[in-house]
């Protein structure tokens, strides 16, 4: 009796976690831009309290960027994408590693490297949206 009361009335299915159209590499890019900007501000400021706060925020932003890249890889990109773009697995891996490096660094060059790789993912992403 209780099982019928609490049983779902409608069953739905989808090929992704949410309706298509919610994924966008811009989320990762924005966070990575913040990482690089914080690295630049860190270099321009000698105040130890400012630098400590900047480090914490930079690390948070880098983690968010990694999250957004990981979600694209695990939830958006599908086998046909990996077949058409065989470099995609290694590109995502390299991007995540670059973001980890930027997370632990105050050198803006590491932030730029992550941004460059995210731009490559962005190009592939938008090509997949066309076809």
């Amino acid at each position: 009796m209780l099982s019928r009361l609490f049983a779902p009335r409608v069953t739905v299915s989808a090929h992704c976690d949410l309706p298509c159209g919610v994924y966008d590499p811009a989320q990762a890019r924005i966070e990575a831009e913040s990482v690089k900007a914080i690295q630049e501000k860190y270099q321009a400021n000698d105040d130890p309290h400012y630098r400590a706060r900047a480090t914490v925020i930079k690390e948070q932003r880098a983690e968010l960027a990694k999250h957004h890249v990981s979600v694209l890889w695990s939830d958006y990109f599908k086998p046909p994408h990996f077949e058409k773009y065989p470099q995609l697995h290694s590109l995502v891996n390299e991007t995540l590693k670059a973001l980890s490096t930027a997370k632990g660094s105050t050198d803006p060059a590491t932030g730029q490297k992550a941004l460059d790789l995210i731009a490559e993912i962005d190009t592939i992403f938008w090509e997949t949206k066309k076809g």
Side-chain angles (χ1 to χ4, degrees), residues 37-47 50-51 54 106 108:
I38 292 167
Q39 289 169 324
E40 292 169 344
K41 290 176 185 274
Y42 180 99
Q43 295 298 327
N45 194 314
D46 291 331
D47 177 43
Y50 179 89
R51 284 183 153 199
T106 58

Side-chain angles (χ1 to χ4, degrees), residues 87-119:
Q87 77 279 24
L88 191 52
H89 283 300
S90 60
L91 175 60
V92 168
N93 185 305
E94 188 179 352
T95 304
L96 292 172
K97 300 279 187 204
L99 286 163
S100 290
T101 299
K103 178 181 174 181
S105 174
T106 58
D107 181 359
T110 63
Q112 185 60 54
K113 173 70 174 171
L115 282 166
D116 293 344
L117 293 166
I118 290 169

Side-chain angles (χ1 to χ4, degrees), residues 66-128:
K66 287 171 58 176
H67 166 76
H68 292 302
V69 171
S70 294
V71 167
L72 285 171
W73 181 79
S74 63
D75 294 355
Y76 174 75
F77 290 118
K78 303 293 181 215
H81 301 138
F82 294 113
E83 289 170 16
K84 185 170 182 182
Y85 304 96
Q87 77 279 24
L88 191 52
H89 283 300
S90 60
L91 175 60
V92 168
N93 185 305
E94 188 179 352
T95 304
L96 292 172
K97 300 279 187 204
L99 286 163
S100 290
T101 299
K103 178 181 174 181
S105 174
T106 58
D107 181 359
T110 63
Q112 185 60 54
K113 173 70 174 171
L115 282 166
D116 293 344
L117 293 166
I118 290 169
E120 290 182 44
I121 292 172
D122 185 76
T123 298
I124 292 171
F125 174 84
W126 289 107
E127 285 176 9
T128 67

Side-chain angles (χ1 to χ4, degrees), residues 17 19 34 37 46 55 60 114 119 125:
D17 292 345
S34 294
D46 291 331
T55 298
Q60 291 170 341
F125 174 84

